[in-house]
Amino acid sequence: MSTLTAGTGRGARRAPAPASLLRGLPLAPAVVLLVLFLGYPVVYCIWTAFTDMKLTGASGYEFVGFDNFTRAFTSAEFHQSALLTVAFTVMSAIIGQNVLGMVLALLMRSGHRVVRAIVSAIVIGAWVLPEVVAGYLWTALLGDGGSLNGLLTAVGLPAQNWLFTAPILAVSIANIWRGTAFSMLVYSAALSEVPKEIEEAARVDGAGTWRRLFSVTLPMVRRSIATNLMLITLQTLSVFGLIWTMTRGGPSNQSATLPIYAYQQAFQFGDLGYGTALALVLLLIGGVFSLVYLRALRLGESMS
Amino acid sequence: MLGTSAGQRWRRAGALAAAGLMAVTLAACGGGDEADASTVTVTFRQFGDDHVQENFLKAAKAEFEQARPGTTIDLQPIIASNDDYPTKLQLQMRSPRTSPDLVYEDTFLINSDIEAGYLRPLDDYIAAWPDWTNFEDTAKNAGRALDGKTYGIPTGTDTRGVWFNKEILAKAGLPADWQPANWNDLLTAARTIKATVPGVIPLSIYAGATLGEASSMQGFEMLLYGTGDTLYDHGAQKWVVGSQGFRDALQFIQTVYSEGLGATPQQVLTTDWNNTVGQEQIPQGKVAIAVEGSWLSNKWGEGGANPWPQWSTVMGWTAMPTQNGQAPGKVSMSGGWTWAIPQNADNPDLAWEFSKMLNDKAHQLKFAIDEVQIPVRKDVAADPTYAAANPSNEFFASLVPITTYRPAYAQYPRVSKEIQVASESVITGNADAAGAAQRYDDQVRAIAGDAVIVASGS
């Protein structure tokens, strides 16, 4: 082994012995499989993002460096799409699914067994439905001649047209409806771990309902909150089927979040390189969100 | 210390690793059948509930398999919207594993796909095919690339004009032989109908990106090519930007939608709205005037999506007028489809044999009659059964001398997409005609680079 570099705070690692190499050998097939079936497509995708590959209209392609990214960051359409993606994620996941899931979980803690079973069944039912089915259900509800307008006009209210006038709101509502079950399940599990005695003690000390919730209950499940936020954020960033069936990203790209915009550029405008670059940007956005949550989680841990 | 145990460990590890690698190679080689030398896979598009093409191909398949025992024609329809068919087809053709042997290619896409290397030239086959002399020269050009080689055999062509419902027009006080002389006549008629016959779409004209090429061609280009301006300057070989005609055409579309003279923007942005119009809205008497294709009645015949025997008495047809009635007074756009053989076809020779059969006189005549296409073979066009088969055939075929073919070069599909985006932004109120045209100009510059020319007089 080489000489130690002092002051790093870590001892130098010993070179792995041949025996442990041997122990690792049975992993080789798995590693090869992973590289072949995951590594290659990932590397190929990253490579494509730096080329001007086309679906049609040109056969060869060349390396264009950061051109696709410059084009994205300087295009108004991309800015709108990124903004819509963030709006969709904040509205439907961070606020909608997250808060509603927590509220449902809290209410169900004190609910009657039968009520709990019924609510769970309904909420989880929405979650079990395939994205496309959920999309069509909401289109049937919100559409021009849909059931919601039938109801509204029946009671003398003006008909709504959200799919057309506020499409990002329409798809956000549908996504809240569809995804709340996940948060509810995570929070139900987390809340069941909170010891009753601590909440009792707080009550004895004179803390009101809200005070107990914000000072005792929520801090005790904050790790679940951070984990759940991370998971639903990543899920929501990449929602495609629901939006595609409801609005196809329209009208005039008013609901074209990044996955939709990337798909359109790659497969409808035939610009594979640019579309892939957009997908990579989406990946980076997801990464940034994850880092923020992880950091928040660590900070939370060091505070306790 | 390496004892026997270590040796055994090595051996065992080696065996495991080898087994794993075997599994990997097997997995990597699995999937996908070996190319079968006697099977031809044929890919075509299924239009909604329209089974005309499917029935035509099924009959041809039976005939072919009977004539050549041991061969199989594997029909693989892609059931997709206007917009998704080309994408799916291109993705199939990209890989030898998924590529069909014979594909139904729209002429607007063929140059783009040739440029992408998806198709193979057919000249060697054609050289030994006497039937080729029976094809019209303009039609031959549709499948010919800039390299002078032919990549697709045309199956038929089409023209476009104005269809109208005589019963609705009569209610609005318009004659049964109504003939608009300019855009203004169209708008006036639509306004009259809106005022007198509630509950119908006065003037159906397509716009927006959802309908794909139908929106570019039946919608925007039918207007643009009536202004005297064009998309492409064939002399300079450049794409035209900044033309007044472009803005006028967008303005017309905006007028129709903003005054409520057409379908609602929501309707026209629904997938396959054009099928809905042809199959349901028109037969149900919900559309007064429609800018449509010559093939429209193929949905109303037997085996069509919605048989409607009364169509020939209820509907009238006339030419699309030019903007101000300038010569020649009418305008039409033409496209059509071809049979082409992908570069990655496993079985090109047999695919050609099948295509030869699909494109002989008897089959093209049957296709022209069933699918309501304008023949591209002279011997089919001259056949009296063709004109007798459908009352609108003669009129739409008479538009061929004044019709315009799209500048279907390699960039056309992307330019066409930008037209759709422009028309969508004016109907949704996202932009005015000038703003949408400006954006189109910028995009075309990005697509075509130097091959752009600014229209004169703008």
Side-chain angles (χ1 to χ4, degrees), chain A residues 116-177:
Chain A
R116 263 211 305 251
I118 292 171
V119 173
S120 294
I122 292 171
V123 177
I124 291 168
W127 186 46
V128 170
L129 281 184
E131 248 185 333
V132 173
V133 177
Y136 275 117
L137 279 177
W138 277 87
T139 310
L141 175 72
L142 297 176
D144 223 9
S147 35
L148 180 60
N149 281 350
L151 269 171
L152 288 174
T153 45
V155 296
L157 290 167
Q160 56 73 43
N161 194 5
W162 296 331
L163 274 178
F164 197 72
T165 49
I168 196 71
L169 183 70
V171 295
S172 295
I173 294 172
N175 195 41
I176 293 170
W177 177 84

Side-chain angles (χ1 to χ4, degrees), chain A:
Chain A
M1 273 305 287
S2 58
T3 49
L4 286 179
T5 42
T8 51
R10 287 185 193 176
R13 288 230 182 79
R14 281 195 338 194
S20 49
L21 244 182
L22 277 182
R23 262 185 234 115
L25 202 59
L27 282 176
V31 171
V32 172
L33 272 174
L34 278 174
V35 167
L36 208 77
F37 287 100
L38 288 172
Y40 171 73
V42 168
V43 171
Y44 182 75
C45 265
I46 295 174
W47 161 247
T48 307
F50 291 91
T51 65
D52 60 357
M53 198 185 290
K54 298 272 184 284
L55 181 62
T56 180
S59 58
Y61 58 90
E62 46 191 25
F63 181 78
V64 293
F66 283 91
D67 280 11
N68 289 327
F69 295 90
T70 350
R71 181 179 149 193
F73 292 129
T74 53
S75 113
E77 273 179 3
F78 171 81
H79 292 165
Q80 177 185 318
S81 171
L83 213 62
L84 285 170
T85 310
V86 172
F88 178 66
T89 307
V90 169
M91 267 195 293
S92 70
I94 297 174
I95 297 173
Q97 291 179 13
N98 186 39
V99 173
L100 194 59
M102 180 58 93
V103 168
L104 283 170
L106 285 167
L107 289 175
M108 279 169 47
R109 263 209 314 178
S110 49
H112 188 275
R113 211 159 37 84
V114 177
V115 177
R116 263 211 305 251
I118 292 171
V119 173
S120 294
I122 292 171
V123 177
I124 291 168
W127 186 46
V128 170
L129 281 184
E131 248 185 333
V132 173
V133 177
Y136 275 117
L137 279 177
W138 277 87
T139 310
L141 175 72
L142 297 176
D144 223 9
S147 35
L148 180 60
N149 281 350
L151 269 171
L152 288 174
T153 45
V155 296
L157 290 167
Q160 56 73 43
N161 194 5
W162 296 331
L163 274 178
F164 197 72
T165 49
I168 196 71
L169 183 70
V171 295
S172 295
I173 294 172
N175 195 41
I176 293 170
W177 177 84
R178 191 176 167 268
T180 299
F182 183 80
S183 300
M184 184 186 87
L185 291 171
V186 168
Y187 290 147
S188 289
L191 289 170
S192 67
E193 300 289 309
V194 175
K196 286 268 185 292
E197 298 81 7
I198 298 185
E199 286 178 316
E200 282 302 320
R203 192 210 302 266
V204 171
D205 289 343
T209 316
W210 293 109
R211 185 68 204 270
R212 276 207 310 280
L213 177 65
F214 285 106
S215 302
V216 180
T217 316
L218 288 183
M220 293 196 75
V221 295
R222 71 178 179 280
R223 297 182 59 183
S224 299
I225 295 177
T227 310
N228 180 55
L229 274 175
M230 183 150 97
L231 289 172
I232 62 175
T233 300
L234 294 178
Q235 275 169 10
T236 307
L237 278 177
S238 57
V239 164
F240 178 87
L242 187 76
I243 303 180
W244 191 253
T245 38
M246 282 178 73
T247 65
R248 285 179 87 96
S252 282
N253 285 351
Q254 299 283 329
S255 59
T257 56
L258 276 173
I260 302 264
Y261 183 56
Y263 172 86
Q264 286 175 333
Q265 292 299 322
F267 296 112
Q268 295 189 311
F269 290 67
D271 216 333
L272 289 175
Y274 185 52
T276 315
L278 292 169
L280 276 192
V281 172
L282 181 66
L283 191 72
L284 289 176
I285 293 177
V288 168
F289 268 108
S290 307
L291 280 175
V292 170
Y293 290 134
L294 283 171
R295 202 145 175 85
L297 199 60
R298 259 219 302 279
L299 280 177
E301 275 171 17
S302 60
M303 270 161 37
S304 54

Side-chain angles (χ1 to χ4, degrees), chain B residues 33-108:
Chain B
D33 300 329
E34 283 305 302
D36 177 355
S38 59
T39 301
V40 177
T41 46
V42 181
T43 295
F44 60 100
R45 188 190 151 201
Q46 199 105 302
F47 292 68
D49 296 333
D50 186 352
H51 298 288
V52 176
Q53 166 90 309
E54 185 192 16
N55 296 339
F56 169 78
L57 287 173
K58 273 186 180 155
K61 162 189 159 90
E63 219 177 313
F64 189 82
E65 286 171 354
Q66 201 174 9
R68 295 167 171 263
T71 56
T72 313
I73 300 292
D74 181 6
L75 299 178
Q76 298 185 335
I78 292 177
I79 299 168
S81 66
N82 298 347
D83 218 21
D84 296 333
Y85 175 73
T87 301
K88 178 97 201 211
L89 184 62
Q90 285 154 351
L91 289 170
Q92 279 189 349
M93 292 191 294
R94 267 180 102 78
S95 154
R97 172 141 329 154
T98 54
S99 176
D101 298 313
L102 187 65
V103 295
Y104 199 49
E105 270 266 338
D106 198 329
T107 47
F108 93 87

